[in-house]
Amino acid sequence: MKKLMQILMLLLVLFPIAGYCGDWELMDNPLSNTGVTLDSIWGSGNDDVYAVGSNVILHFNGRQWRIQSRWFRDFAGVWGSSRHNIYVGGTDIIGQSCGFGYWFFRPQLDLSNYCFVTRVGGICRDMLMTGYCYDKGLSSSGGFIIRYSRLRGPRRVGKSKPTAEYEGMVTLDLPQYGYDGTIYDFWTYDNAAYCVAGDSGMLKYDGRWLSSIPIDTKGINAIWGSDLENVFLVGDAGKVLRCNIKADPPIINREIIDTEYDLYDVWGTSPTDVYVLDGWIHHYDGKTWSQMDSGGAVVTTLWGVPGGDVFAVGPYGTILRKKAP
């Protein structure tokens, strides 16, 4: 019996149970099992990954996670065009870094009273932020998208009639297309154009706003595509739409996924390698959807390196990693 216990202890040292979650590895980090929720993750490679959330920026160097900065604002997202051009953004804060651990914060985008950022990403070397703004009566809301450049500062995207100003920041809504409600997410392609999706559907922007794509996108929370012929929209009650928006009219297919929960995020490397999250992780191989074994860990957003590792983050400082084959 004593010998058996010694063997079990040795196995626990070599293969700690808490460190592995089936298909995914549970990564130890300074925020593990804390009350901090991680809201976004991005990196330039397996050895250069950032995760952000409530007042904190974490960095992974390929060996361990470290806290790189703490701030008195919550970050909604992180994105970079390279390992030497990284942004973090939130409702009333922008942070910039050249990738050496030093951050410069600009709180000049004050959205604290009426506007709220939901997603951060980018195009070319500029950061994009989407979200929603309430009117002064707090009775309705309109989506906005802001493009931020180190050199040019913040500016609205597209041509529309003059929009409301909230605490000195000009935001964009899309009244000529009847776009009301929140813009939850966007997907960029060709490094020059993008689609936005949210409460009122999906729009394309390629230097000008194109008319709304006529599909049932109510309740959409996230968008990702490998190309214009394979765009995935996910949303409430397990909704997954696979769209060919290159076709005229667009071709829309409803994917069947075994969940009734709301889907928070979608990401992939190709039309036959797509991940969606409803707290748990589901994978699409081009034919069928299947739930992955994450050991019961709950995550709400993910990102990965094409051909490399995939990372997912969520409440309680949770960070999961699926290593490349």
Side-chain angles (χ1 to χ4, degrees):
M1 184 68 177
K2 183 176 180 181
K3 187 175 181 179
L4 178 60
M5 290 299 296
Q6 289 174 341
I7 293 174
L8 290 174
M9 290 300 294
L10 178 61
L11 289 174
L12 285 174
V13 171
L14 295 177
F15 306 101
I17 293 175
Y20 293 88
C21 296
D23 299 317
W24 295 75
E25 171 191 355
L26 180 62
M27 304 187 76
D28 185 45
N29 71 85
L31 302 178
S32 296
N33 300 313
T34 68
V36 174
T37 295
L38 294 171
D39 294 310
S40 181
I41 188 163
W42 175 90
S44 65
N46 291 336
D47 61 348
D48 181 42
V49 184
Y50 295 86
V52 303
S54 304
N55 312 311
V56 67
I57 301 172
L58 286 176
H59 180 256
F60 181 63
N61 61 9
R63 299 180 301 275
Q64 62 181 329
W65 287 94
R66 291 181 175 175
I67 294 176
Q68 207 170 72
S69 181
R70 286 191 179 273
W71 198 246
F72 56 90
R73 297 285 192 251
D74 292 341
F75 302 110
V78 56
W79 173 86
S81 61
S82 72
R83 66 172 57 228
H84 298 306
N85 182 48
I86 307 107
Y87 296 100
V88 294
T91 293
D92 52 4
I93 191 71
I94 282 180
Q96 305 170 15
S97 174
C98 292
F100 301 106
Y102 299 100
W103 288 87
F104 176 67
F105 295 100
R106 296 182 175 221
Q108 81 276 21
L109 298 185
D110 190 350
L111 301 173
S112 58
N113 287 338
Y114 297 103
C115 295
F116 303 90
V117 172
T118 58
R119 189 75 74 166
V120 173
I123 191 168
C124 298
R125 288 180 58 83
D126 295 350
M127 180 174 70
L128 299 177
M129 297 191 299
T130 62
Y132 62 99
C133 291
Y134 283 105
D135 63 18
K136 292 187 182 297
L138 302 181
S139 59
S140 64
S141 63
F144 71 80
I145 184 164
I146 294 294
R147 184 165 180 169
Y148 179 85
S149 166
R150 289 175 188 253
L151 301 178
R152 296 186 299 271
R155 61 192 176 96
R156 67 185 184 184
V157 176
K159 296 180 179 179
S160 66
K161 68 181 184 181
T163 57
E165 291 192 13
Y166 297 91
E167 298 298 319
M169 177 180 175
V170 178
T171 64
L172 172 70
D173 58 13
L174 305 168
Q176 63 269 53
Y177 301 121
Y179 203 107
D180 297 320
T182 302
I183 296 177
Y184 286 106
D185 198 8
F186 59 93
W187 166 66
T188 62
Y189 61 95
D190 296 335
N191 206 28
Y194 48 86
C195 297
V196 300
D199 287 335
S200 292
M202 180 164 61
L203 295 173
K204 285 200 300 185
Y205 179 79
D206 61 0
R208 64 188 180 91
W209 287 108
L210 305 179
S211 58
S212 180
I213 296 173
I215 59 178
D216 175 19
T217 55
K218 292 183 179 179
I220 290 300
N221 298 323
I223 177 175
W224 174 85
S226 61
D227 52 66
L228 291 176
E229 296 178 350
N230 294 279
V231 179
F232 291 81
L233 300 169
V234 303
D236 297 345
K239 176 186 288 186
V240 179
L241 300 176
R242 184 172 180 174
C243 312
N244 178 350
I245 60 175
K246 188 175 182 179
D248 187 18
I251 300 171
I252 313 299
N253 292 306
R254 178 78 180 255
E255 296 285 342
I256 304 301
I257 184 171
D258 187 19
T259 181
E260 59 184 12
Y261 298 107
D262 294 348
L263 297 170
Y264 303 112
D265 202 8
V266 55
W267 180 88
T269 63
S270 73
T272 58
D273 182 33
V274 183
Y275 301 83
V276 301
L277 302 181
D278 63 355
W280 293 272
I281 305 168
H282 302 263
H283 181 256
Y284 181 65
D285 62 6
K287 295 181 180 179
T288 59
W289 292 91
S290 58
Q291 183 173 325
M292 304 187 76
D293 183 1
S294 60
V298 174
V299 287
T300 54
T301 188
L302 80 166
W303 166 90
V305 182
D309 297 349
V310 184
F311 298 82
V313 300
Y316 306 108
T318 300
I319 302 178
L320 300 181
R321 175 173 64 176
K322 178 181 177 293
K323 290 188 176 181

